[in-house]
Every structure is written in C-alpha cells, then in structure tokens.
Amino acid sequence: MKRLMLLALVVAVVQCHEPFQVIFEWKQIDVQWPSEEERQLAITNGKYIAENNFLTTVKFWKDKMYLTMPRWKDGVPVTLGVTSATPVNGTTAPILEAFPSWAMQTLGDCSAFQLVHSIEIDPKGRMWVLDTGRPTTTREFKACPARLVILDLEDSGKILRIYEFPDHVARRSTTYLNDIVLDHEDGGMAYITDNSNNDPGIIVYSLKNNTSWKVRHDSMKAKSEAVSFMVAKTHVILPVHVDGIALSPASSMDRHVYYSPLSSFHLYSIPVSALKNNATNIDHYVKELGRKNSQTDGMVMSAKSVLYFGLLADDAISMWDMKNSSSFTIGQRVMSRDHLLTQWPDSFAFDEDGNLWCVVNMLQNFLSNHIKLDTPNYRLIRTRVGVKNYQYYENGTAPDLPDITAGADSVNFMFATLLFLVLVLVAK
C-alpha cells in the first residue's frame, strides 16, 4: 500500500506541468535578406548553406523572441536573429531578421558579432550577448577578442556596453563562451561558462567594476565515462567541459550557481560568494550534488527554485524542485520524455507569461552531417509553469537592477570608431 501511495505521489509530481507542445518547427533556418539577389548570391558563393544553420538559444522580451545560430560551419550569415514570439498567420517556421542589424553580423569585423551561442535578457530589457570572437569554421577568419556586449531592447538594440575579455580570462584562439546567468546584486555580476578545450572554467564579470576573472576546478572538466553516448541511434563522441549553468533565484538568501560539463553525469554547485571573491582554492566550496541519468546540455532555474535540465541520451527533460526536496538524488524527476520530439533538448527559457520553453535541435544529426532539409530539424516546445525565471521574485516582480553605462572598453571602442571616421574624411 505504501509503495502504491509513493508511486501515486511520484506520478503527481511528474505530471504537475502541462505536456510540452510544439509551437515553432523548422526544416531549415533562413533569414530576411536585404534582397532576393543577395540571398541567391550567398547561396552561390557559400555564404549561406541552409543545413549549417541551427539554433541553440532562445530568449523572450515582450512580443519578440531572440535566437542564436552559432557559426560552427561555413555558410551562417546571421548569428543573432529576432522574430515574433507567436506564430504570425499560422507560420510556425518564421524567417529570422538579423539583430540588431546586418552590419553586426559581418565576419572578420571585430566590431560585429562573430559567434553568438548564448544570450540572457534582464528584467529591464537589456540583452547580454556572449560573442566568442571567432567562428569555428573551415575558413580562416581574424580571431577577435571574446566579448560581452549589452544591448538595450527598449532602444532598438542600442549598444550600452562592450567588454573585451582579457586573454588570461578568455584566450581568443581557444575560448568558447557557452552560457550565461545574471546576478543583479553587488552592482551586477554575470557568470559565464567557458568550455574551452584547454582552459575550461566559469568566468565572473563585474558590471560595477567592468572587470572579469575565471574560476577553474576539476569538476568543470569533461569526464571520460560520459564522452560517448547515443541519441536516436546516432553515436555521439563529444568531450565537452562545463556547459549548462543555472543560478538560484533572486529571493534566495544564500545563492548558488549550479553547473555541469556536458560530458558528465554529475551536477555541481558553488556559492556565488566564492565566485565573487575569486577564491584561490575552491575545493571546499564546490559540492557534488548527485548523479543524473544522462548527459545534460542547457539548464535553467525558475523563480520558485525549480531546476530544469535536459537528459540527452534519454530524449527527456527533467526537473528538481529544491523546495520539495533538498536532495538532488532523491528529488530529480523526468517531466517529459519523447523519443521523437525531444531529441537533444539544448537550452531553456521563460517568457513573461509564465511559460517554459525548450530549444530542441537534434544536434546529433548536425554533428554527424546527417541534416535532411525535407524533415523538421529544429523545434521550440513550450509548457506552462506559471512562474518567471530566476531573476524575478516568486510574485513576478523584479529586484532593483543596476544601471548600465558605457564601460572603459565601450568608450575606447567608440573613440576608435570616431577616429577612424575622421581619418576617412581627411583622406577624402
């Protein structure tokens, strides 16, 4: 009898959310070109190769959604795009617009975005963009510095700040800025996963001081036991260091960052105080919370302390309600499993209406060069959870956020741009 009652409780917990629904679905990603002639020229010269464009991240602000297309292969013209957050005229495969402009997508131009994998939007509508600084393509392009660029969505994507990471924090030839969470205390902080092959770690950026540092630990490195796995009968061998990251909600007294390498079965946490203080020895701060059933790519925290994360080899999305169970081992639950619709749940996002979204991109097909453009490859699926993300309080209000002014890097960049324009005019 007790076993039946326990089973009923587990089922109730797992089914507490509505089933995920497919809202958007693409066979291929295309963008709004300046003209059809330019699109055809891009196809001819290899600047647009449909099967090389895939989605990794989605974030929402008001009636728009912003998506990233990292340049892992040739032929990706736009690395950050925007479209309506709801299907228009029944179109579930919308064409994306370059954001904030086509000029900001120029390869080889260090003032433009080179490879954007992840973004985050704060409660004031400021988009924090991670630019790795170089595409990971077969073509040779100038290696630009890895940057954090903050845009104002309330002002047409105006640049508020540009911060170039120093080489000892993010090496321009090897760094890969993967994911970001925002902490609005202590003048504003960002915690960023860098799964660089030779120097993985969590980068800490101080908005107030406009400076950064990297925290490194063995828990942030790929584990050999988790490098190889299967997704939809496709064998994936992928040694990836620290990847997914989440932050306990704004209402928490003792906030922690949660993280996991993609090539790992374990979830870890570290108090934000250790990251902010740049502790030289973080061994006694890092806590191994338990083992997952599979590898995980992205993860996200809700305002009610629920952690959502994918299980790649299980075609599943799982959750851990920390308020109901302080133990990750006991508290983790599979909330959705679909061997067709949730192949490679890559990343998560909340919208302003209390919906949880997941980017499902079937990345195993991209990695194995098996993209078929006559079948759906990329999906945005959604379920209602009735809460916002970790940046908000449970009642939906946001804490006071720091103002953002141009930092030293932004000032230097603007001065250099102005000087360049002056020289051009003088030359004429």
Side-chain angles (χ1 to χ4, degrees), residues 101-167:
S101 65
W102 268 100
M104 282 294 288
Q105 318 294 327
T106 307
L107 277 166
D109 180 354
C110 290
S111 66
F113 295 135
Q114 300 304 292
L115 187 156
V116 177
H117 188 108
S118 287
I119 55 177
E120 182 60 292
I121 300 174
D122 70 29
K124 282 190 173 182
R126 301 172 303 199
M127 178 189 288
W128 300 53
V129 184
L130 296 179
D131 182 9
T132 287
R134 72 190 192 287
T136 56
T137 64
T138 58
R139 296 186 183 183
E140 290 295 326
F141 290 98
K142 179 181 178 180
C144 302
R147 304 185 304 162
L148 173 63
V149 181
I150 304 178
L151 309 175
D152 187 356
L153 300 184
E154 294 290 276
D155 192 7
S156 304
K158 174 186 175 182
I159 295 177
L160 297 176
R161 180 175 294 190
I162 299 171
Y163 176 77
E164 293 184 359
F165 293 99
D167 208 51

Side-chain angles (χ1 to χ4, degrees), residues 15-71:
Q15 295 183 343
C16 65
H17 295 104
E18 299 174 3
F20 277 95
Q21 295 181 323
V22 177
I23 307 300
F24 294 97
E25 185 176 68
W26 292 264
K27 293 179 180 178
Q28 65 183 63
I29 306 299
D30 202 353
V31 296
Q32 186 66 52
W33 293 84
S35 68
E36 180 59 26
E37 290 76 14
E38 290 192 45
R39 182 179 185 273
Q40 291 302 322
L41 179 61
I43 293 173
T44 301
N45 61 25
K47 291 185 178 181
Y48 173 55
I49 303 172
E51 57 267 31
N52 290 353
N53 291 254
F54 72 102
L55 305 175
T56 54
T57 301
V58 64
K59 297 295 178 182
F60 296 85
W61 182 251
K62 296 188 175 178
D63 60 343
K64 300 289 187 180
M65 63 179 184
Y66 301 84
L67 302 110
T68 67
M69 289 72 65
R71 286 164 162 154

Side-chain angles (χ1 to χ4, degrees), residues 152-207:
D152 187 356
L153 300 184
E154 294 290 276
D155 192 7
S156 304
K158 174 186 175 182
I159 295 177
L160 297 176
R161 180 175 294 190
I162 299 171
Y163 176 77
E164 293 184 359
F165 293 99
D167 208 51
H168 69 273
V169 173
R171 301 174 189 172
R172 72 169 63 192
S173 59
T174 60
T175 193
Y176 192 90
L177 305 183
N178 188 274
D179 207 351
I180 178 173
V181 290
L182 303 179
D183 177 356
H184 304 299
E185 300 174 358
D186 298 318
M189 312 290 291
Y191 310 116
I192 300 161
T193 54
D194 177 5
N195 53 31
S196 158
N197 285 334
N198 59 359
D199 187 30
I202 294 177
I203 295 172
V204 183
Y205 169 72
S206 168
L207 177 69

Side-chain angles (χ1 to χ4, degrees), residues 14 20 29 34 86 156 183 205 250 267 326 346 397 415 417 419:
V14 173
F20 277 95
I29 306 299
T86 56
S156 304
D183 177 356
Y205 169 72
L267 179 69
S326 60
D346 192 309
T397 63
F415 177 77
T417 303
L419 179 61

